[in-house]
Amino acid sequence: SRPILDMSYSRHFLDFQGSSIPSSMKKLVVTKLSQNFREAVTLQQDSPVPLPGDGDLLVRNRFVGINASDINYSAGRYDASVKPPFDIGFEGVGDVVALGLSASADYTVGQAVAYVKAGSFAEYTVVPARQAVPLPSVKPEFLTLMVSGATAYLSLKELGDLSEGKKVLVTAAAGGTGQFAVQLAKKAKCHVIGTCSSDEKGGFLKSIGCDHTINYKTENVESVLRKDYPEGVDVVYESVGGKMFDLALNALAIKGRLIVIGFIAGYQNPTGLQPIKAELLPAKLLKKSASVRGFFLNHYLSDYKMALQHLLKMYERGDLVCEVDFGDMSPEGKFTGLESVFRAVDYMYMGKNIGKIVVELPHSVNSKL
């Protein structure tokens, strides 16, 4: 047995399996507030690798997730008190390469973990052990569940009131979180309608159980909804905003519910929001006894671990498709390395992705892990 030294405020329980943690690393940092991600964010080449504290893990990131809200964060829209420079990226999957003394009660070097915490766009991230999620292996599919899957699960569970036969409209249905809204609504025996921007995405949606796909590039969404669902839809899972919000609102049935999980159409605008016809909102809601509810994952963290465990079990049983898009079909190819995060964000805002956009961070170290 090796001697354990109390080095609570230094590097302790380092990776004794030989993967040699470097002293510096690459990471992305917001250096200027802007809704233009390329203007806001800088790739730093030689940032010091952070040290884990007593209750922390040092995670070598292998896969990081791209979220529409990365732009909101780099534009300073979430917390006005946070001033540049600050770290960016919300979620990662990787290996534990070092940890603090208290953290070693539950984790070991070499363990696969996932986490949701600002600062994942880096080669290494310090994660409090209590915020980490142990995984059976390092797989990008697990990353799709951390923010996107949990958002769909908790918002529909808490706000959707789903039951058999209800009609559920999912906007941006082939995206990172839309794919889960479609599948979870189908598990609740609902009739699911999904909007998307290509026939290829429509094919993917049908493959995961979507009953009716609407390609908004070639079809008039409003006309299709009015013709095929004259009584309206019971629940809308809405992430687009702008004109799509107006369409969805008008399509609500009596006692219908519209759940807002985002408004990506407005994120890149300097003002943030595209105008909606809100003056008519009270009258429209009253006329149908309908409701509009916002959902922000941070407000439901008390239920987060439960949601994630449920989704992980579903995936491991083969009951959930976790589609990952590495950008293989993008003009410059697969998203590999932190420098490709910029391309990945552009790709998302062009609406090209099918499933969750994930960037792989290869590591060229002599590792026995």
Side-chain angles (χ1 to χ4, degrees), residues 174-327:
T177 187
Q179 64 172 329
F180 295 111
V182 167
Q183 293 177 79
L184 293 168
K186 280 308 293 177
K187 301 276 181 222
K189 299 182 176 172
C190 298
H191 174 91
V192 183
I193 309 128
T195 69
C196 61
S197 60
S198 71
D199 293 341
E200 187 190 1
K201 290 184 180 188
F204 165 68
L205 289 173
K206 287 189 172 124
S207 78
I208 59 170
C210 194
D211 297 289
H212 188 168
T213 63
I214 307 173
N215 179 345
Y216 65 81
K217 292 282 179 78
T218 58
E219 300 174 81
N220 183 306
V221 178
E222 191 169 20
S223 302
V224 172
L225 290 173
R226 197 181 296 126
K227 174 175 156 291
D228 294 345
Y229 304 96
E231 299 293 306
V233 295
D234 302 296
V235 179
V236 181
Y237 183 85
E238 217 294 275
S239 61
V240 177
K243 289 175 183 168
M244 189 63 83
F245 176 91
D246 285 328
L247 282 179
L249 181 66
N250 291 338
L252 283 178
I254 302 291
K255 298 183 184 174
R257 298 155 174 261
L258 193 157
I259 304 168
V260 176
I261 64 115
F263 44 95
I264 191 170
Y267 293 173
Q268 286 186 309
N269 290 358
T271 53
L273 276 168
Q274 285 196 335
I276 56 167
K277 294 169 185 158
E279 322 84 65
L280 304 175
L281 189 61
K284 286 180 178 178
L285 296 179
L286 182 65
K287 183 179 168 187
K288 296 178 175 178
S289 293
S291 64
V292 175
R293 295 287 299 272
F295 178 89
F296 188 45
L297 186 60
N298 288 13
H299 299 147
Y300 290 82
L301 293 182
S302 57
D303 298 315
Y304 178 76
K305 280 262 168 96
M306 170 277 296
L308 207 53
Q309 295 306 331
H310 181 80
L311 291 166
L312 284 166
K313 281 181 190 146
M314 284 180 73
Y315 172 66
E316 284 165 0
R317 282 198 311 263
D319 287 343
L320 202 60
V321 172
C322 298
E323 188 70 16
V324 173
D325 191 332
F326 278 120

Side-chain angles (χ1 to χ4, degrees), residues 2-14:
R2 65 172 186 246
I4 295 175
L5 304 177
D6 182 4
M7 299 169 68
S8 304
Y9 301 100
S10 176
R11 285 178 181 268
H12 45 270
F13 283 165
L14 276 182

Side-chain angles (χ1 to χ4, degrees), residues 64-134:
V64 294
I66 304 296
N67 291 285
S69 44
D70 290 328
I71 278 188
N72 280 344
Y73 196 57
S74 62
R77 290 186 186 131
Y78 283 154
D79 186 348
S81 68
V82 179
K83 304 295 182 204
F86 55 87
D87 296 346
I88 190 167
F90 289 127
E91 55 187 340
V93 166
D95 315 288
V96 175
V97 291
L99 66 169
L101 205 55
S102 298
S104 68
D106 300 303
Y107 289 91
T108 58
V109 165
Q111 191 162 354
V113 294
Y115 63 89
V116 175
K117 176 184 178 286
S120 71
F121 292 164
E123 291 177 319
Y124 295 84
T125 302
V126 167
V127 179
R130 67 180 185 280
Q131 289 179 22
V133 179

Side-chain angles (χ1 to χ4, degrees), residues 28 37 61-71 88-94 114-122 139-148 176 324-326 335 338 340-342 344-345 348 355-361:
L28 295 185
F37 190 82
N61 294 314
R62 299 277 295 280
F63 300 101
V64 294
I66 304 296
N67 291 285
S69 44
D70 290 328
I71 278 188
I88 190 167
F90 289 127
E91 55 187 340
V93 166
Y115 63 89
V116 175
K117 176 184 178 286
S120 71
F121 292 164
K139 284 174 73 172
E141 285 79 9
F142 292 127
L143 192 56
T144 67
L145 301 174
M146 298 301 293
V147 171
S148 302
V324 173
D325 191 332
F326 278 120
F335 303 134
L338 285 171
S340 69
V341 167
F342 298 97
V345 169
M348 175 176 51
K356 173 84 177 184
I357 302 176
V358 173
V359 174
E360 183 173 5
L361 305 185

Side-chain angles (χ1 to χ4, degrees), residues 14-35:
L14 276 182
D15 182 346
F16 287 104
Q17 301 184 49
S19 81
S20 66
I21 300 163
S23 58
S24 65
M25 65 171 187
K26 293 179 185 174
K27 73 172 179 175
L28 295 185
V29 178
V30 176
T31 49
K32 171 190 173 185
L33 297 182
S34 170
Q35 73 284 346

